[in-house]
Amino acid sequence: QVHLVQSGAEVKKPGASVKVSCKASEYTFTTYYLHWVRQAPGRGFEWMGIIYPSGEIRIHAQKFQGRVTMSRDTSTSTVYVEVSSLRSDDTAVYYCARDLGGWNFFDYWGQGTLVTVSS
Amino acid sequence: ETVLTQSPGTLSLSPGERATLSCRASQSFSSSYLAWYQQRPGQAPRLLIYGASSRATGIPDRFSGSGSGTDFTLTISRLEPEDFAVYYCQQYESSPWTFGQGTKVEIK
């Protein structure tokens, strides 16, 4: 059984940064693709980017380029997403999700991390 | 960017009834790269269908998917109490991957 366990909820002020983690277990971490997807009230799901098994990273350029950074630590089987210059419309539940074979759909999801941006 | 429009927004049905959910794409797919997910309150989405019609591991056969081009359908043949939830379609035909806005299946 694949498990993706994410870090806890965060409350941040506008302009700050947040870093969310996702720890994978019970599968070979470096053989799968991991995505970040967020779900915002009233805006639905938004795909943010992907970390390939090779370590290569591709971020949804139009929407997130320049404000979103993704990374991974293979020694702890953990991936990260960091969002900087937070705005109120970054308030969302952030999910990591595993991709079956690089097809860009998601067979396992983390439990989600609520990030609230509020002054 | 491919826009997915789901209909209806809400479907009010009774247990045992058949549910038919629609997902329409703003551009035609050359391949059936469409997935369906179920999301219960407070939970992460669960993959139901990929490739428009292939059931994911462990998904009951009362769930089926069909369609091609721009029109796709998720059918739940006989609603069980645990099926009342929100359903989303997602395309992986062209980047960026996008989702529909969801159809809520509620108890009538």
Side-chain angles (χ1 to χ4, degrees):
Chain A
Q1 181 72 23
V2 174
H3 287 289
L4 298 171
V5 180
Q6 298 184 220
S7 49
E10 304 263 12
V11 179
K12 295 291 183 181
K13 293 191 183 304
S17 296
V18 68
K19 192 171 186 177
V20 178
S21 68
C22 167
K23 183 176 175 59
S25 63
E26 300 181 48
Y27 75 92
T28 307
F29 176 73
T30 54
T31 64
Y32 288 98
Y33 305 71
L34 282 167
H35 298 249
W36 286 98
V37 178
R38 72 181 188 181
Q39 183 178 25
R43 294 202 315 280
F45 288 98
E46 296 177 295
W47 175 73
M48 301 179 70
I50 179 175
I51 302 175
Y52 292 89
S54 63
E56 180 186 351
I57 292 166
R58 182 160 69 95
I59 292 171
H60 179 2
Q62 272 183 325
K63 191 157 181 70
F64 298 111
Q65 198 69 271
R67 282 205 310 131
V68 169
T69 304
M70 295 180 185
S71 58
R72 75 175 188 178
D73 182 342
T74 55
S75 68
T76 60
S77 299
T78 303
V79 294
Y80 302 90
V81 64
E82 184 170 15
V83 184
S84 60
S85 303
L86 285 165
R87 309 185 292 242
S88 59
D89 64 356
D90 291 316
T91 294
V93 177
Y94 289 74
Y95 291 101
C96 59
R98 194 185 77 163
D99 171 349
L100 184 66
W103 289 99
N104 299 303
F105 63 88
F106 317 114
D107 65 335
Y108 284 100
W109 296 63
Q111 84 277 18
T113 297
L114 175 61
V115 175
T116 303
V117 182
S118 173
S119 55
Chain B
E1 167 170 318
T2 301
V3 176
L4 298 178
T5 302
Q6 292 187 241
S7 61
T10 302
L11 203 48
S12 298
L13 294 167
S14 301
E17 289 194 294
R18 182 184 187 90
T20 303
L21 289 65
S22 173
C23 176
R24 177 163 290 178
S26 61
Q27 49 195 285
S28 184
F29 294 1
S30 56
S31 301
S32 296
Y33 287 169
L34 188 106
W36 289 93
Y37 301 88
Q38 175 194 69
Q39 188 178 35
R40 298 180 178 126
Q43 295 186 14
R46 177 173 72 139
L47 177 67
L48 299 175
I49 300 286
Y50 62 94
S53 60
S54 297
R55 269 188 302 277
T57 302
I59 301 303
D61 61 6
R62 64 180 181 274
F63 291 93
S64 64
S66 62
S68 62
T70 59
D71 292 305
F72 298 87
T73 301
L74 174 69
T75 302
I76 310 170
S77 59
R78 296 170 313 278
L79 283 163
E80 297 288 340
E82 62 269 26
D83 298 338
F84 292 91
V86 183
Y87 293 83
Y88 296 93
C89 56
Q90 178 236 331
Q91 66 82 21
Y92 49 103
E93 167 87 4
S94 64
S95 181
W97 327 122
T98 53
F99 292 78
Q101 82 282 14
T103 291
K104 181 179 182 181
V105 178
E106 65 175 23
I107 299 176
K108 187 174 182 180

